[in-house]
Amino acid sequence: MRDPNLFYLTGKVQHYAWGGFRYIPELLGQPVTDQPSAEYWMGAHQSAPSLLQTDQPQPLNAWIAEDPAGALGPAAAGRFGELPYLFKILDVKDMLSIQVHPTKSEAEKGFARENEAGIALNAPNRNYKDANHKPEIMVALSEFWLLHGFLPEDQLRKVLATIPVFSALGPVFEKDGYFGLYKTVMEMPQEEVNAMLRPLAEKVLPAYRAGSLKKEDPAFWTGRAIDNDPQGLERLDRGIFSIYFFNIVYAAPGDAVFQDAGIPHAYLEGQNAELMANSDNVLRGGLTPKYIDVPELLKHTRFEAVHPNILKGEAIHGGQERIYPTPAPDFVLSRIALKAGETYTHTSVAPETWIVLEGTGSAEGPGGNQLALSKGKTLFAAYGTAYKVVCESDLVIFKAAIP
């Protein structure tokens, strides 16, 4: 059996083009370069496992696989067989793709189907990187903007009625609802996309460049999408329809948003802590140069009104910790905030992953094992680890665990 203990963890920075340049390197104490740093992964996903700093440092997935019950606990090992979550810090400088994540059963079928077809895991036309679902929660670390689900019917009708270029789509929505509307624009020939959106683009782009648009206005994000697209007005991205058809959501620092399977969404701007099932399955629908598979996207999208639910979290541990519960069985995210001189004690009932966002202190595990805490330090607590955190200067720690 594994001995319960605390370890430092070294995650993996993902240099996707949409990422910012400063936030993640400065968090981790690394030099700022001209390479974007979009995501910091802390987990055991096979494509980018974190390195566990034991006597012999090794990938976290390999360390867990040697003794799943000891590392995860018998319950989690029996249910999941692996670390069931993937923890990330994101720095969104440019808009992410419109995307949807599959359910568990659909991910299993899709993964098997693409394996049987001989599509390489790293192939650009691969939809399914694994056999898992990908519900996810994000907690804003800055002011954060995102697209999240279809507008309620009355709001969408107003968009279709008041924006002249969309007038022909009103009858489509009345006849065939969300599915018919979205299928129409997603399958529309590119020439028709250009013809429909160009008058809108020519109107919003000068206003965006003049700085006269507010971020609550879909015109702002449309202007940014066009301004950032090398093809500009020549080949307009059909993802612009989604900017007008989806909810534009603002999350203040500390606010959380949960995205379940099938809810179409896209991150627009800001930094967040994101926790999801251990998966990298993404079905894309626009605002991206990456592979878009429209039939697969339509198959997995939930065509229903979404009323955004901003989660404020629940205070526990005498107010030292704020937890953000979701329906997902794979993960739970919480924020620990301590003042100088305070201590926080706990025993991990499942494997935990922490990242320190602010402050200094120490974490003491079994046998007097003591690890210094400072900004950017990432730790892993194996199942059954009794520990104490002592705060020197105001500490903020985000913690991923299993409910």
Side-chain angles (χ1 to χ4, degrees):
M1 285 289 291
R2 292 276 187 209
D3 291 328
N5 219 328
L6 289 172
F7 306 92
Y8 284 126
L9 195 68
T10 303
K12 167 76 172 175
V13 178
Q14 303 284 14
H15 300 285
Y16 307 138
W18 50 260
F21 294 93
R22 306 192 68 90
Y23 185 83
I24 289 175
E26 289 177 351
L27 172 65
L28 301 176
Q30 297 175 352
V32 174
T33 69
D34 59 1
Q35 186 178 32
S37 295
E39 298 185 353
Y40 182 57
W41 286 28
M42 299 160 281
H45 194 275
Q46 70 243 18
S47 68
S50 297
L51 199 64
L52 193 70
Q53 302 298 336
T54 57
D55 293 337
Q56 295 290 325
Q58 58 183 309
L60 181 58
N61 56 338
W63 186 84
I64 291 170
E66 289 174 6
D67 180 11
L72 307 176
R79 179 165 190 176
F80 301 108
E82 63 177 10
L83 190 68
Y85 60 76
L86 177 58
F87 191 20
K88 300 179 181 180
I89 299 294
L90 270 65
D91 181 16
V92 180
K93 180 177 72 72
D94 298 325
M95 292 180 279
L96 275 68
S97 54
I98 308 293
Q99 56 190 262
V100 163
H101 305 306
T103 62
K104 174 74 171 159
S105 62
E106 290 298 331
E108 289 169 349
K109 288 187 280 189
F111 185 64
R113 186 170 63 247
E114 292 188 341
N115 285 345
E116 289 164 11
I119 303 172
L121 269 177
N122 60 352
N125 63 328
R126 179 98 192 193
N127 285 315
Y128 297 93
K129 306 291 181 68
D130 48 68
N132 206 6
H133 64 164
K134 196 186 173 191
E136 58 193 18
I137 187 171
M138 57 139 279
V139 178
L141 302 177
S142 66
E143 293 195 335
F144 199 91
W145 294 86
L146 68 153
L147 300 176
H148 174 71
F150 285 100
L151 287 166
E153 290 186 18
D154 58 337
Q155 295 179 42
L156 185 50
R157 283 193 178 99
K158 184 178 179 182
V159 167
L160 298 177
T162 58
I163 297 176
V165 300
F166 297 147
S167 60
L169 297 173
V172 177
F173 181 60
E174 294 306 325
K175 179 175 181 289
D176 296 316
Y178 291 102
F179 175 78
L181 175 68
Y182 207 56
K183 184 175 190 292
T184 296
V185 298
M186 292 307 295
E187 294 182 347
M188 187 180 285
Q190 185 61 46
E191 302 76 37
E192 292 182 29
V193 173
N194 286 348
M196 182 173 285
L197 292 180
R198 186 163 285 123
L200 178 68
E202 290 172 344
K203 180 181 178 183
V204 305
L205 195 54
Y208 172 76
R209 288 174 175 168
S212 61
L213 299 172
K214 295 184 177 180
K215 292 180 180 179
E216 306 91 275
D217 186 344
F220 175 90
W221 302 105
T222 299
R224 177 173 286 185
I226 299 164
D227 209 33
N228 288 350
D229 190 336
Q231 299 185 85
L233 294 170
E234 296 305 309
R235 187 180 189 279
L236 290 163
D237 193 310
R238 68 187 66 238
I240 289 169
F241 290 109
S242 297
I243 296 174
Y244 283 87
F245 297 171
F246 295 173
N247 295 287
I248 296 174
V249 177
Y250 167 75
D255 287 350
V257 179
F258 175 68
Q259 326 243 37
D260 209 347
I263 299 296
H265 61 279
Y267 291 158
L268 298 174
E269 181 184 86
Q271 291 88 33
N272 70 29
E274 185 182 52
L275 186 58
M276 62 193 64
N278 187 34
S279 174
D280 196 26
N281 287 327
V282 180
L283 305 168
R284 296 179 178 87
L287 302 182
T288 178
K290 293 183 179 179
Y291 180 62
I292 294 174
D293 184 334
V294 170
E296 200 67 16
L297 177 82
L298 296 175
K299 177 179 169 186
H300 297 290
T301 298
R302 281 161 59 173
F303 293 100
E304 59 191 40
V306 171
H307 298 267
N309 182 21
I310 300 294
L311 306 173
K312 299 293 185 179
E314 302 169 5
I316 59 172
H317 251 106
Q320 291 182 326
E321 187 170 5
R322 182 160 294 275
I323 194 167
Y324 296 90
T326 76
D330 316 69
F331 56 77
V332 63
L333 184 59
S334 65
R335 178 185 186 272
I336 299 166
L338 305 178
K339 297 293 184 184
E342 290 185 345
T343 62
Y344 170 94
T345 57
H346 188 61
T347 299
S348 58
V349 295
E352 299 177 358
T353 305
W354 317 347
I355 185 166
V356 180
L357 291 192
E358 297 173 21
T360 58
S362 61
E364 185 177 315
N369 175 29
Q370 193 158 314
L371 301 179
L373 301 179
S374 60
K375 183 177 176 179
K377 290 291 187 188
T378 307
L379 278 72
F380 182 80
Y383 163 74
T385 300
Y387 61 82
K388 177 172 72 171
V389 176
V390 179
C391 176
E392 294 170 1
S393 64
D394 294 4
L395 265 172
V396 175
I397 298 170
F398 273 80
K399 182 176 79 174
I402 304 172

